[in-house]
Amino acid sequence: GSDSKSSSGGGSVTLNWLTWSDHFANDQLKAVGTKTGITGRPKLFSDNADAILQIKQLGDAFDMVSGDALWDVKYMSDGLIDPMDLSTIDASKELYSVAKSFDFWTNPKGYLGYPFSWSTVQIYYNPDMVKTPPTSWQSLTDPAYKGMVVAENIPTDLLAIAGRATSVKDPYGMSGDELSAAADFLAALKPNLLKLASQNNEVIQLLANKSVAIGVTNLGSEDRVKDAGGPVIKAVYPSEGTIGFIDSEMIVSKGKNKERVPEFLDAMERSDYIAQNFITNGRPLFNESAAKKLLADSKTADRAKRLFMDQPEKALEMTLKGPAGDQQAYTEAFNKVFGA
Amino acid sequence: MSDVVDRRENAIELRGVGKRFGTAVALEPLDLDVRDGEFFCLLGPSGCGKTTTLNLVGGFVSPSSGTISIRGTDVTHLPPHKRPVNTIFQSYALFPHMNVVQNVQFGLRMSRVSKAEREARSQEALALVGLTERASQPVAALSGGQAQRVAIARALVNKPSVLLLDEPLGALDLKLRKRLQVELSLIHRNVGTTFLFVTHDQEEAMALADRIAVMDGGAVQQVGTPEEIYLRPKSRFVADFIGESNIIDGHMDSGVFRAADGFVAPCPSDTPADAKALVVRPEAIRIDSAGLIPAVVTSLSFLGPVTRVTLSIPQSDTMLVSTIHGGAATHQQVGVQPGDHVNVTWDAAAAHAVAD
Amino acid sequence: MSDVVDRRENAIELRGVGKRFGTAVALEPLDLDVRDGEFFCLLGPSGCGKTTTLNLVGGFVSPSSGTISIRGTDVTHLPPHKRPVNTIFQSYALFPHMNVVQNVQFGLRMSRVSKAEREARSQEALALVGLTERASQPVAALSGGQAQRVAIARALVNKPSVLLLDEPLGALDLKLRKRLQVELSLIHRNVGTTFLFVTHDQEEAMALADRIAVMDGGAVQQVGTPEEIYLRPKSRFVADFIGESNIIDGHMDSGVFRAADGFVAPCPSDTPADAKALVVRPEAIRIDSAGLIPAVVTSLSFLGPVTRVTLSIPQSDTMLVSTIHGGAATHQQVGVQPGDHVNVTWDAAAAHAVAD
Amino acid sequence: MPRDADIVAPHGRLVRGLLTLYGVAMYLFLFVPIVVLVLLSFNTSRTVGFPLKHLTLAWYRLLPDDVLIQDALSSSIRIGLWVTAISTVIGTAAAFPLVRARVRYRSVVRVLITLPIMIPGLLIGVSLLILFTDVLKVQPGSSTAIVGQSVLVTPFVILIVAARLQGFDQNLERAASDLGANLVQRMRYVVLPLIAPGILAAALIALTLSIDEFIVTNFLIGSGQTLPIYIYNQIKFGITPEVNALASLMLLGTMLVFALGFAIPPLVRRVRLRRAVVAD
Amino acid sequence: MATNRPAAVTADVSAGASAGRARARWRNAAQFAGFTPAAVLFGLFFLVPLALIVVYSFWRTKDYSLVHDWNLGNYRTFLDTKTYIKTFLKTVVMGVLATTTTIALAMPFCYWLVRYVPKRLQRTLLLLVVLPFWTSYLLRVYSWVAILGDNGALNTILNKLGVTSGGHRYLLYDNPGVYLVLVYLYFPFAVLTLYASLERFDWNLLRAARDLGATPGRALLRVVAPQMRLSIATASIFVFIPILGEYLAPQVVGGTKGVMIGNLIANFFAGFLLPLGSAASVLVALVIVILLVIFRRSLDTGDVYAS
Ligand SMILES: Nc1ncnc2c1ncn2[C@@H]1O[C@H](COP(=O)(O)OP(=O)(O)OP(=O)(O)O)[C@@H](O)[C@H]1O
Ligand SMILES: Nc1ncnc2c1ncn2[C@@H]1O[C@H](COP(=O)(O)OP(=O)(O)OP(=O)(O)O)[C@@H](O)[C@H]1O
Ligand SMILES: [Mg+2]
Ligand SMILES: [Mg+2]
C-alpha cells in the first residue's frame, strides 16, 4: 500500500523537523527516505521553550516539530500548528486508543499531535556512591551530595520540580512568591549539581561513568545506564510527587511541505521502529503493536512491563509538562540562579 | 664648442616648472634645457628635488606651475604612459614574475607592437647590453649589474626621446659602480639618446656628465660642464658640494683679499669687489717656505695617491687642507710632521671668489 | 719607529683562532696581534670574516679553535659581559627606551658603580663627545652623527681595554662620514684606548688606521701600515683592493719584466724572478714622448683634482689608467684628446711586483 | 647574526636545552587534544572515552550514510564558498585604499577593520540576529549566515592582502606606467599577478575560517546546519566517535588544502620557468 | 611617515599629469572607492547591529514580544542580581588570569622560537602553532573532556601507572577547567602577536647589553622586557577581549560553576530576553571600549594576522 502512497505524494522532498534526538534513528530515516521519497532532516533542540521560539521566528523553515503535552496547546493557541486527522494516518491504528483521545490534544479542527512517548521524571541514584539514599526532591539539597547530582537543563521543568518540592499547587503557574521560593530551592540545590546536562543522553553517560551519583531523569534510565556499561542504579519516586511528559509530533502550519507530514509519520511510526526505539531509549511509547511485540519477546518483556509500556493510562497520573504561565518570569528566575 | 652645442634641438625644456606638496615647496619654479643627445646630470644633496624634477619629466608628478616640453611637444598634461620618455628606477623595478625578455618586451606589448617586431627589437636591445644569452632567465637570478642592464634594455627598446635615470647605481658597491659607470657611458655614446641622470654623488656626476645641474633646496644653483662647476663654482654651496675645498671667509680690501682671520690670501687680479670668500682646492695649496701664510701642521694622513695634510693657522679658527700628490714610487717624504710650523701659499690663479 | 711600537704590550692576541659555522669556514685559523693604544683596522670585502673576528674578540662568537687574550689574560671562555672590551655596533644599538645619559650609564649600572661616580663618569664621557646638553634627550631624537657619538660615550665610559667598532660609519652619507672620521680620530688620540675597527671601505681604513689587516676569504692577506699596504702590496688581491691600480701580467725575462702582451714594462732592479705581475698606480703613469710603451687615448674625464685618462695598448687587451694631477688654477690642459697616439712610461721604482 | 647560543656562555647548552624542552612541552600541550580527538575516532566504544578498547574504522564507514552530516557538509561548503568569494572580493578591494590612498587616520581605519576580529562573536551574532529578524524582517538562513561570516572573515582578508600589498614595490607599477601601460593594463599585467599569492592565501584562510565558524553561524543559520553546528549538537545531544572521525577527516582536508596552497605557487613558478627555457 | 610617501606618490600616478583641479579632487575621492563595499558590509552588518543592541538594552519584552518603552530596568535587573554580577566579575577575573598565563607561557616560547630555532624552521613551527585552528574549535574544547574526564586519557594513564585507581576527574566542570581550556585556546593568538614583535626585535641591543656587562638575565630584564611592553599589551588585548565573550568553552567544560558572562548572554537571547541580553552585551562592550581606549596605542597590528 505504501508504494501507491509515495506515488500519490508526488516526488521526493525534505521535511525539516525540529525534534529531540530520541525521536528517530539514522537508519530509520534512511529507510523511510528510500521508501517514501521523504527525507526527514532533523534539527535538534533541548527545551520546549527553545523550540516554540524557533518556530515563531523561523516559521516556514520547519514542517514538523516535536513537543510535550501542554506545550502543544500553546502551539495551537499561538497559531503555529495545524491539527491532524489521525484516521488518515494508517500507522495510528497501532496506537493505544487512550493516546488518541487525550482531552488536552482534542480540538474541533483535529488532534494536535501524533502521540509518541511519555515518562515521569524521577530520581535515580547509585547505591555504591551515596550512603543515605534520597527520598524526596527536598532531600537532594543535602550537602552530602555536593557536586554529585545531574539534571537536564530545562529551566521551566526544573522550576516546576522545585515547585513540587515546595509543594505549590500548580508548578507551571506559580505566582511571584511561589516562584521565588522555588528559585530558592534551586539555589540550595545548585552546589550539589555538577552540571546541567544538555540532553538526557548526557545524564545517562554521567551516571554510567560515575561522574555523578544521582540523576534526575526519565523512566528506564537504570537499563540505559547498564547498557552503557555503568553501575546498577536505583529509582526513587520522590515523595512530593513529580512531573512528566507526553510528547508528540506536530505539523507546523507554515511548513512548506507540511502536506507530506502524514505520509512521513505513517512510515516513521511503525511498530518495528518504535519497538527498536524503546530498546534504545528505554521509556514507554504509545504504540500498542510495538508493546505487544516487546512483551512477546522474552528478552524485552520484563523491561517493557517494568517501564509501563503496557499501561499508557499511567501517563495521566503525572503533572504534565507544559508552558509556564509567565514563561519569561520562569526563565528569569532560572537564570538568576544558574546564570546559564 | 659651445656654439656647436647650442644649435642642437632641446630634448627637454622646463619653463617655470615648480612643485609644491601641500604647503611644502619641493621645487621652486625653474627653467632648464637639456640638449638632444646630451648626458645631463642632476646633482645635489638628499631632498633637494632631484627625483621630483625627474618625476615631473616622467609624468609621475604633475607640476604646480610651468610647462614641460619634450622635443618641442608640450607634455605637461600627458600621463606617464603617453610620454616619449622611459625611466630607469633606482631599484630597477624589473617585473619579478617575468623573465628577462618578457621584461624587455613589456613596453612593446603595451603599445601593441607586432610579435615579430617585438622579437626583433628586444633581441637588438639585449644585444646592445650584452645579455642575449640570458633572455629567458628569471630576473631574480640576475646580479646587480645584469639587472641594471636589463632595465636599460627595457627602457631603450621603446626608443624613447629621453632616458631618465634615478640614481641607478646608488645601491651598488663601489667596484661594481665604477664598472657600470663605464658601461653606461659607452651605451650612451652608442645609442645617442638623451640621458637625464640623477645622482647625489659628485664624483659620479663629474665622471659621466656632459653637463651638470647642481641643485639645492629645490632650486638649481648652477648649470655647466664639470670643469666649469669645479673650477668656477658660482656659490659657496657649489664649491663645497663639488670636491673638497678650503673656503676662506673675508673681503676685498684695496685690491687684496683679506681673510676674516687677518691674513692676506692670494687671489686673481680680476676678483670682484663683492667677494665674500675665496675657494681654494686642497691640491692647490703648497707648503712653501716662500709662502706668506704661517700655519701649523695638525695631522698627516697617507691616502695612497695623495697625502692629506691638515693645517691650522695660528690665532684663528681657520683650518686648511692640502693634498700632496705623489706617484707611488716617487713618493717623496712629505717632509713635515704634525706640530711643524710651516708657511703655505697657492697660485693666485688657483683661487676663485664667491659672493655668498 | 717600529722598534718603539714593538715594545708596547699587545692589547689583543689571537693565536690560531678559527671559526666554522657548521661546515662553512668563516675564518681560517689565524694569528693576529693588536698593540696597545693602536688604531687597528680590519679591512676586506663583504663576507671575508671581519665581523666574525670582531665578534670573537667581543665574545659574541666562540672560536672553533685557538685562544684569545686581551692584555695578556686568556678570555677565550669568558662571556661577553666579563670581557674588558666594549663594542660600537654598526647600527649603534642604542637602547630606544632610555635617554642619552641612561644609555651611557647602562654599563656602569650593570657593574654596580655608585650613583655619584656614575653621574661623574657619564658627564665626563658625554663631554668627551660633545653631547653634554643632550643628556636627557630620548635617543630616537638624535641624528646619525649624534647617535654614533652616544654609542662611543656609552662604550668609553666603561674604560675598556679595547674598543671594537663594526663599520660604525657604514650607514652614513659621505660628508657626515668624513666628518665623523676626523672626530673618531681625535677621540682615539685623546683617550688612548686601543681601537679595533672594521670596515670594507679602503679609503676609510687608510685615513684612520695606524695599521691595517687586509682580509679575504676568511684569511688575513697582509698586515701593515697604510703606506706598506699601498706601496708594497703582497698580493694581487691587496693591490687591487687598496686604491686603483694597473696590474700588468707578465714575467721576468733576463732582468726585464715582459708583459704578457709583449711590451717591456719598467720595474725596479730588485724585482724577484718569480714575479707574475707588476702593480703600477695610475698616478705614476706618465704620458711622455720619451716613454717606450705606445698607447692610444680612449677617454678622458675631468674629475676635479685629477683628470683620468684611459689608455689602450695597441694589439693587446691591456688598458692602462693614468691620473693626471693638476692644481685648480694651474690646471694645464692635459694636452691629449681621445684617439691620440701617445707614449707612456713610469719610473721603475714606482712599479711593484707581486707573485700571484 | 650569530644566534644567542653562539655567544660564549658557560651555561649556554643548559639554557638551550631547557628552552627547547619547554618548546616541545608547549607543542604537546597544543597537540595532545588533537591527537586524542583523532585516536578516539578509532575506538570501538560507543561513548567517547578511554581506555581504547579496540581499534576500528567503523565510525568512518558510518559517515557516507549519515544524511545529517552530508547535509551539514554540503551547506558548510556552499556557505564557505560564498563567504570566500564575498570576503575575498570586498577585502581585496578595501586593501588597496588602505595601503595606498592618502588615508588621514590610517591606524584608526586599521583598528576599525580589526574590530570584528576582536569583538566577541557572540556580540556580533546576537546583534545581527536582532537586525535580521527584528528590523529587516529577514528570515535567518544560509544567506544571513553568509553575511555574518563575511563580517568576521573580511577583516582577515583585508589584513593579509594589505600586508602583501605593503610589500609590493610601487615602483613596479610606475615602471609599467612608464613603459606605456594604462591603469587596466597595470592591474592586469603587473599588480594582480604579483599579489595573487596573497589573495590566494587570504581566500584559503577565509574558507577555513568560514568552515569552522560556529558562534555567529549558530545564531544566524535558522533551520540550517553546518558542520560545526552538527558537531555542537552532537556534543550537546550525545556524542559518538563518528564526530571524531568526521573531525579527523576535516583536519586532513584542511591540511591538504593548505599543503596545496603552499605547494602550488612554487610549482607554477617552476613550470613557468621550464616552459620559458624550453621555448627558448 | 616613510610609508606615507610612496602612497602619496602613486596617488599622483593615478592623478597623472592630467590634473584639472576638479578632476584631481574627483580622483582623490576615487582612490577610496575600494573601501565602499567594505564600508557597506561593516557599516550595515557590524556597526548598525551593535548600535541596535544599545537601543534594545533600554527596551523590554513582555510574553516574547518587544515593548518599546525606554527604561533602565534591564541594567537594574542585571546589576541587582547577585548571580549576574558575580558571573560578570568572575568573567573579568578569569579573563585576567587566563590572559596573564597565556602571555607568560607564550613569552619564553616565542623567545625560544626566535632565538634558538633556525630561521627556515621558524615559519613551519609557527604554522604548527596555528594548526589547531584548523580543527573544529568545538571538538578541541570537547577533547579536554576526553582528556580530563572520569574515563579520560589522563585518568587512564595515571591508573595504568598505578598512581591512582578508579575514576577520577581533573579540573573538569569547574573554573579551573575553563581556565585551562581558555589558556589552551588562546595561546596561539599570544604567540602570533609576540612572535611578530620579537622577530623584529633588534637583537644587537641584547648583545650591546651583554657587551656593557649585563648578565643574560639582566639583559633580558632591562633591555628586552621594557621594549616588549607594547606588544605584550597588544597580545593581552587580543586574548582578553575574545575571552570576555567566550561561552562554548565554559558550557562544555565548566559545569554549573564555570559559567561566564557569555553563557548568560547566549541564554538570555535563547530565552528571548533580548533587552536583558542586550544590556549584558552592552556592559561587555563597555569594558571592551574602555580597554580599547586605554590601549589604543597598541592596536595597529595588522601584520600580526598577516603573518
Ligand atoms: N609625495 C611627497 N609629498 C610630500 N613631500 C614630498 C613628496 N615627494 C617629495 N617630497 C619632498 O620634496 C623634497 C624633494 O624631494 P625629492 O625626492 O625630489 O628629493 P631628492 O633630491 O630626490 O632626494 P634624495 O637624494 O634623497 O632622493 C623633499 O623635501 C621631500 O621631502
Ligand atoms: N651565524 C652564522 N652562521 C653561518 N654562517 C655565518 C654566520 N655568521 C657569519 N657567517 C658566514 O661567515 C662568513 C664571514 O662573515 P662575516 O659576517 O664575518 O663577514 P664580514 O667580513 O663582516 O662581511 P660584511 O662586510 O658583509 O659584514 C660569511 O660567509 C658569512 O656568511
Ligand atoms: Mg631621489
Ligand atoms: Mg660585517
Side-chain angles (χ1 to χ4, degrees), chain A residues 61-326:
Chain A
F62 295 104
D63 303 294
M64 221 170 120
V65 59
S66 307
D68 279 334
L70 299 177
W71 282 96
D72 293 21
V73 181
K74 177 145 180 78
Y75 276 99
M76 186 64 202
S77 65
D78 288 357
L80 300 172
I81 54 165
D82 287 349
M84 59 185 85
D85 181 357
L86 286 183
S87 64
T88 64
I89 303 174
D90 246 16
S92 72
K93 295 194 184 102
E94 298 179 354
L95 292 172
Y96 285 111
S97 61
V98 57
K100 290 186 269 195
S101 54
F102 290 133
D103 51 2
F104 46 87
W105 283 350
T106 308
N107 184 285
K109 291 186 190 145
Y111 211 52
L112 298 190
Y114 191 99
F116 186 68
S117 68
W118 67 278
S119 172
T120 51
V121 175
Q122 48 194 26
I123 302 171
Y124 284 88
Y125 71 96
N126 180 341
D128 293 342
M129 292 171 74
V130 295
K131 282 194 213 102
T132 44
T135 56
S136 63
W137 295 122
Q138 280 293 347
S139 70
L140 285 185
T141 60
D142 185 340
Y145 303 147
K146 189 163 191 305
M148 296 169 77
V149 183
V150 64
E152 268 185 77
N153 185 8
I154 307 176
T156 319
D157 296 338
L158 276 175
L159 275 161
I161 287 173
R164 275 286 182 204
T166 54
S167 310
V168 301
K169 252 196 23 240
D170 179 3
Y172 287 97
M174 290 188 272
S175 66
D177 289 346
E178 287 171 337
L179 200 53
S180 63
D184 288 346
F185 169 79
L186 287 184
L189 181 61
K190 187 178 170 185
N192 291 356
L193 281 171
L194 177 66
K195 68 176 294 184
L196 292 172
S198 301
Q199 220 267 348
N200 192 256
N201 281 355
E202 197 180 354
V203 176
I204 302 298
Q205 258 183 43
L206 290 169
L207 281 166
N209 66 25
K210 299 187 213 158
S211 291
V212 295
I214 299 172
V216 176
T217 176
N218 298 340
L219 276 174
S221 295
E222 63 271 48
D223 299 302
R224 293 170 61 206
V225 168
K226 212 157 91 204
D227 290 348
V232 173
I233 59 171
K234 289 194 168 160
V236 172
Y237 192 84
S239 59
E240 299 98 333
T242 187
I243 60 166
F245 66 83
I246 294 178
D247 62 15
S248 65
E249 317 300 348
M250 295 172 277
I251 303 172
V252 176
S253 56
K254 285 191 190 160
K256 290 189 193 101
N257 295 313
K258 63 176 178 182
E259 74 281 358
R260 304 290 296 271
V261 172
E263 192 187 335
F264 179 65
L265 283 174
D266 186 38
M268 288 288 291
E269 304 298 322
R270 294 289 169 171
S271 55
D272 288 345
Y273 295 134
I274 301 297
Q276 182 55 46
N277 188 299
F278 174 81
I279 293 169
T280 313
N281 297 304
R283 35 98 191 86
L285 296 109
F286 289 115
N287 192 308
E288 188 172 8
S289 314
K292 288 202 175 110
K293 280 181 188 156
L294 291 164
L295 289 164
D297 184 339
S298 60
K299 275 189 286 192
T300 53
D302 163 62
R303 187 166 167 188
K305 232 186 174 80
R306 186 157 41 81
L307 298 179
F308 310 112
M309 191 69 191
D310 55 348
Q311 290 175 273
E313 59 284 353
K314 267 233 179 250
L316 290 168
E317 293 168 17
M318 327 170 282
T319 297
L320 287 177
K321 282 191 185 184
D326 183 350

Side-chain angles (χ1 to χ4, degrees), chain A residues 16 21 24 26 29-30 39-46 50 54 57-62 198-199 201-202 205, chain D residues 47-48 65-68 71 129 133 139-140 218 221-225 229 233-239 242:
Chain A
N16 290 313
S21 61
F24 64 91
N26 276 337
L29 287 178
K30 202 171 172 208
T39 313
R41 201 175 78 166
K43 183 172 184 197
L44 304 181
F45 73 94
S46 51
D50 265 1
Q54 290 200 42
Q57 283 175 4
L58 302 175
D60 61 353
F62 295 104
S198 301
Q199 220 267 348
N201 281 355
E202 197 180 354
Q205 258 183 43
Chain D
T47 51
V48 174
D65 281 343
D66 195 318
V67 281
L68 283 184
D71 258 22
L129 182 68
T133 57
Q139 201 176 80
N218 190 39
I221 191 94
S223 67
Q225 293 238 33
I229 290 176
N233 284 331
Q234 288 295 305
I235 289 175
K236 239 177 123 171
F237 302 123
I239 195 165
E242 193 181 347

Side-chain angles (χ1 to χ4, degrees), chain B residues 21 25-26 44-53 167 198 200, chain E residues 5 8-9:
Chain B
F21 289 106
V25 177
S46 181
C48 70
K50 307 182 294 294
T51 297
T52 304
T53 310
E167 312 213 17
V198 161
H200 64 258
Chain E
R5 258 189 67 183
V9 172

